Amino acid sequence: MRKWFILLLTTVAALGLGWGFFGENGFLRGQSNTGAARAQTSPIFTTAHSSVGEAVRHFFGIRSEAQQPIAYTHKAHLDRSITCDTCHTGVNTGPQARIPDIRDCMECHEFVAMDKPVIQQITAMWERGEDIPWQRVYGFTDEAHVRFNHAPHIRADVECSMCHGDVAQMTVAERVVDHTMGFCVNCHTQRGASNDCLTCHN
Amino acid sequence: MQESSTATTTNGPAKWGMAVDLDRCTGCEACVTACHAENNIPTVGANQAAAGRAMHWIRIERYFEGEFPDVHVKFRPVLCQHCDNAPCEPVCPTYASSHTDEGLNAQVYNRCIGTRYCANACNYNVRFFNWFNPIWEKPLHLQLNPDVSLREVSVMEKCTFCVQRIKEAKIDAKRDARPLADGDVKPACVQSCTANALVFGDLNDPESAVSRLSRSPRGTKLLGDLGTQPKITYLQREG
């Protein structure tokens, strides 16, 4: 009798843990977690993790896939000899490669491919004064303390695809390269760039 | 791009240092304010400050001399001295506190596990521990400097000589294919000093303003007889 009781307890505990880790709002699932939303609405800004789950995910480097609002096809644009920095402006002048907003899209799509349903969709958004809520694909966590600057890399002739994969063959951008410290340090060593801690972390 | 990234007016890496003219310092604390803004230094509130947990990477020490009404006040800005023989470095079990090629006494937050040995070893009380996760009331978080990372709980922090500005100046110099000139790098405290009491630059360049001031007969090192070899020279008051 006692044996069956222990077995039952173990099963319940395992199910609970499984749900906690893999369930809809679980530790190991992405930003569906309410923690991020709570951080948005909170009246204070803090470096503390918004939930235990977020801390665990950051510690193990677990990230959810970005869910883009529109199935933007990088391939179709890059095939038409548009370059990365046409839309991701600022990449050769400053730290950030900007995520384009709807004005960048409408610069061309006020005149180009207006019969496509997805273009009509963003034209409607544009007329309503809305922006496209793109999600970031790459990026470092706060506790990585990395301060990355795009411009010097571009000037050193590092190809975009080196760190971001062959985006020219992708529809929505996927995270195909892991930006681990080893990845950065290898390239810095090969190219004779500084490997001082403060080069990236400050 | 194989050339050295640390091209300065001299060959080889720079050796960053500072000179502080105590005759010029008026104790206005503009440097303290600028440092807080530049480096995202949190304020801890009155209660924690009373418990000795306030964080100021640079502070103005006041010394009163004489009896009222004939009182003289002397000011001395104290920040990390970036010692060449730094007592904080050998005690760190994780090499979070280490020396860079350019003589900066670096604090690598990623490595720091919060033993606080370094703060214990420092003679100048310029290392600060994050006892809590820092908090900014919204929308004050919008004024945080994006070039400087935010330190979380259980991490030690200290003056970096505004290394983000050093890096930016080097990147700009390389973009323009010119050597880094004296005065290209100005930490926030130096930039904000209305009396020009603080001078920053490359000590390896004998012609830089900071080198010339450091050779002044008025120059002294703070607690210099301890053998820490600080890179900040204080020019003693004449008046």
Side-chain angles (χ1 to χ4, degrees), chain B residues 59-124:
Chain B
R59 64 175 182 269
I60 304 287
E61 291 188 350
R62 296 179 305 176
Y63 298 96
F64 298 96
E65 286 181 0
E67 290 293 319
F68 181 83
D70 187 24
V71 182
H72 289 275
V73 190
K74 290 184 172 179
F75 300 107
R76 181 191 290 272
V78 179
L79 59 159
C80 175
Q81 308 285 309
H82 291 268
C83 310
D84 277 337
N85 190 12
C88 55
E89 287 170 5
V91 296
C92 181
T94 58
Y95 299 101
S97 173
S98 58
H99 230 60
T100 72
D101 294 341
E102 302 196 335
L104 295 181
N105 177 245
Q107 178 70 13
V108 186
Y109 309 123
N110 308 55
R111 287 179 176 168
C112 182
I113 56 171
T115 62
R116 293 179 278 133
Y117 293 167
C118 55
N120 205 23
C122 176
N123 306 310
Y124 304 100

Side-chain angles (χ1 to χ4, degrees), chain A residues 145-173:
Chain A
H145 296 293
V146 174
R147 287 295 172 267
F148 181 80
N149 192 338
H150 270 94
H153 294 84
I154 302 292
R155 284 197 284 269
D157 293 328
V158 179
E159 292 294 326
C160 302
S161 58
M162 187 104 180
C163 308
H164 296 292
D166 196 1
V167 182
Q169 300 304 322
M170 293 180 199
T171 48
V172 292

